[in-house]
Amino acid sequence: MAALRARPAAVALGVVTLLVAGCGSDEGSDAASTTRLATLQPAVSAPSPATGPPITDSAVLAAALLTIADLPVGYVSLDVPTDPDAAKDNGPDQSRTDPADCAKVLAPIAQQAEGAVAQASAHFAGPAFAGIDIDAASYPADRTAATFDAVQERLAQCTVYRGTDADGFSVDYRVADLPLAGAGDASRAVRVTTTSEGLTLISDVVIAVTGSTVFQLAATQQTPFDPAALTNLAQTQADRLRSP
């Protein structure tokens, strides 16, 4: 199997590419052949209007995101300049998702909900094919809660879905609740499990609101991320966004 270019989180691309390159294809399991087989807990409400004004400068928002110094030992930044010609030989993109809207699960918040006045993201790779993705988007104070609601609504509608990667190989996804302590003004944690060609990746995710900013922190690896460490990262990120 070649690169899994359709992915639930940015780092998952490199993980699957490294682990399953050269594997033969299969028809995919029937485990995710239908959607909405499971339900999530009710949505968490964020303060409305938001508890603080929006961050309107994307550079200021980017500077408030976590850095390597905040992460477990062994992570490196993936936010380096890339060769624009590097992807030219990848061939036609055969990726698809069913239902189509579920392709937005774990997409950057600003792509999931329009109207952001600033947005930023950071991506890191760690040992043993691990990765951490962080993105944040700031909205007018009267739009923040609705954005948080919209992200949760999509998750509830995409608890089980499937698709193919850019090379046409089957990918199955499952979304489940993840019990974690709260972060920021309001937060929701879920686990997104991605399976393709016998490989399973787990993305433990916190989506949270701090003031007028909604952020998403996804820790992806082959085993569940340490809950205490994820909670600490999420709260640290919330604190940084409260006073950038």
Side-chain angles (χ1 to χ4, degrees):
M1 177 180 173
L4 183 61
R5 284 175 271 163
R7 60 226 161 106
V11 173
L13 168 62
V15 176
V16 177
T17 300
L18 288 170
L19 293 183
V20 302
C23 292
S25 66
D26 61 28
E27 297 302 317
S29 69
D30 292 330
S33 59
T34 59
T35 61
R36 304 176 182 87
L37 296 180
T39 57
L40 298 181
Q41 293 296 317
V44 175
S45 296
S48 182
T51 59
I55 299 170
T56 58
D57 187 331
S58 291
V60 172
L61 189 59
L65 297 183
L66 299 181
T67 68
I68 290 175
D70 302 303
L71 306 184
V73 175
Y75 281 83
V76 296
S77 175
L78 293 179
D79 296 315
V80 295
T82 58
D83 181 356
D85 295 326
K88 284 188 175 180
D89 296 329
N90 283 336
D93 187 345
Q94 302 178 56
S95 59
R96 64 169 179 80
T97 306
D98 182 22
D101 190 58
C102 294
K104 291 184 178 180
V105 169
L106 295 194
I109 298 296
Q111 294 180 19
Q112 295 198 51
E114 297 180 351
V117 295
Q119 57 184 289
S121 62
H123 310 286
F124 305 90
F129 308 108
I132 291 177
D133 297 305
I134 308 164
D135 72 270
S138 197
Y139 292 84
D142 60 354
R143 290 281 306 278
T144 307
T147 297
F148 188 49
D149 289 344
V151 173
Q152 293 184 82
E153 181 179 357
R154 177 171 290 109
L155 291 171
Q157 294 173 347
C158 296
T159 54
V160 180
Y161 61 105
R162 73 181 313 168
T164 57
D165 72 354
D167 299 296
F169 293 99
S170 297
V171 188
D172 293 332
Y173 305 90
R174 289 181 176 271
V175 179
D177 284 304
L178 180 65
L180 284 182
D185 297 329
S187 66
R188 179 71 178 273
V190 296
R191 173 169 292 166
V192 181
T193 303
T194 306
T195 303
S196 182
E197 297 293 300
L199 169 71
T200 295
L201 292 176
I202 296 172
S203 295
D204 285 343
V205 186
V206 176
I207 302 134
V209 176
T210 298
S212 292
T213 299
V214 183
F215 75 85
Q216 181 172 240
L217 193 162
T220 301
Q221 52 189 35
Q222 291 181 273
T223 57
F225 201 80
D226 179 70
L230 184 59
T231 299
N232 182 65
L233 287 174
Q235 187 56 58
T236 300
Q237 183 60 86
D239 292 342
R240 296 273 179 84
L241 291 168
R242 195 174 300 281
S243 54

